[in-house]
Amino acid sequence: MIRGAQLLLVLAALALWVASRLTWVEVASFDGLGQPKTTALRGGSWSTALLPLAVLLLAAAVATLAVRGWPLRLLAVLVAAASAGMAYLGVSLWVIRDVAPRAADLALVPVADLTGTQRHYGGAVLTVAAAACALVGAVLLIRSAAKARTGAGKYVAPAARRAAAQQESSGDSMSERMIWDALDEGSDPTTDPTNPDTKGR
């Protein structure tokens, strides 16, 4: 699951980088003196958080190699929060009723000179897809941390297992595993500790 989460985080970071290079809004303006002008606002300009979020996802993908347990869960929560931010950035292009004021400000064009704006949704779609990948990656990280904790709870150290085998070696019945553990420890499982004369019988 760790490898799958890493792959999803890298893909999400790549999608954010591509989205930052695509045009999100085009601004058409005319000042009454020269020719009409069209300014393309890329994702990196329209949503300046795209590239930092991409870097964050790459850092999280690398960090999964070094962290386990509760730090891994904390990292998963951070990735999930970042995915919520990405989804907001993508969906905002749809829900904003009028992009003209913001577009004019980013394009350094007076609002009075605006003749129109046009939205391009390719970058926003990629951003939402990146958010979905990051969210799935966060879920995989949390499941991996939970699975590792469960596995650690079931693990029994070899010394403890051998000690248990020694304690059970005097019983009437022993499992094959206990017999081999006792032999590894150097004790004879067929010996009755209450009767030394039975040694070797």
Side-chain angles (χ1 to χ4, degrees), residues 90-112:
V91 173
S92 64
L93 189 64
W94 278 281
V95 299
I96 294 178
R97 291 185 178 181
D98 188 8
V99 299
R102 175 174 169 78
D105 181 59
L106 293 175
L108 302 178
V109 173
V111 176

Side-chain angles (χ1 to χ4, degrees), residues 23-165:
T23 299
W24 285 45
V25 178
E26 282 186 346
V27 181
S29 61
F30 179 61
D31 58 6
L33 299 176
Q35 295 293 327
K37 183 174 63 173
T38 300
T39 304
L41 297 175
R42 295 183 177 182
S45 300
W46 184 259
S47 297
T48 56
L50 289 179
L51 288 179
L53 286 172
V55 173
L56 174 64
L57 292 180
L58 288 178
V62 174
T64 55
L65 297 174
V67 296
R68 291 294 183 270
W70 69 264
L72 185 60
R73 293 189 177 191
L74 184 61
L75 182 64
V77 171
L78 179 62
V79 171
S83 71
M86 286 180 268
Y88 171 78
L89 293 178
V91 173
S92 64
L93 189 64
W94 278 281
V95 299
I96 294 178
R97 291 185 178 181
D98 188 8
V99 299
R102 175 174 169 78
D105 181 59
L106 293 175
L108 302 178
V109 173
V111 176
D113 294 344
L114 281 179
T115 59
T117 58
Q118 183 178 0
R119 310 183 200 198
H120 297 271
Y121 297 103
V125 170
L126 273 179
T127 302
V128 174
C133 288
L135 182 59
V136 174
V139 172
L140 290 179
L141 291 178
I142 292 177
R143 290 184 61 186
S144 176
K147 185 177 181 180
R149 183 177 180 181
T150 302
K154 294 181 178 179
Y155 175 76
V156 179
R161 192 173 64 243
R162 287 194 295 268

Side-chain angles (χ1 to χ4, degrees), residues 154-169 174-175 177-185:
K154 294 181 178 179
Y155 175 76
V156 179
R161 192 173 64 243
R162 287 194 295 268
Q166 284 182 340
Q167 292 178 358
E168 296 292 337
S169 62
M174 295 178 61
S175 68
R177 179 70 185 186
M178 292 178 181
I179 293 175
W180 282 111
D181 286 339
L183 290 174
D184 289 340
E185 187 64 22

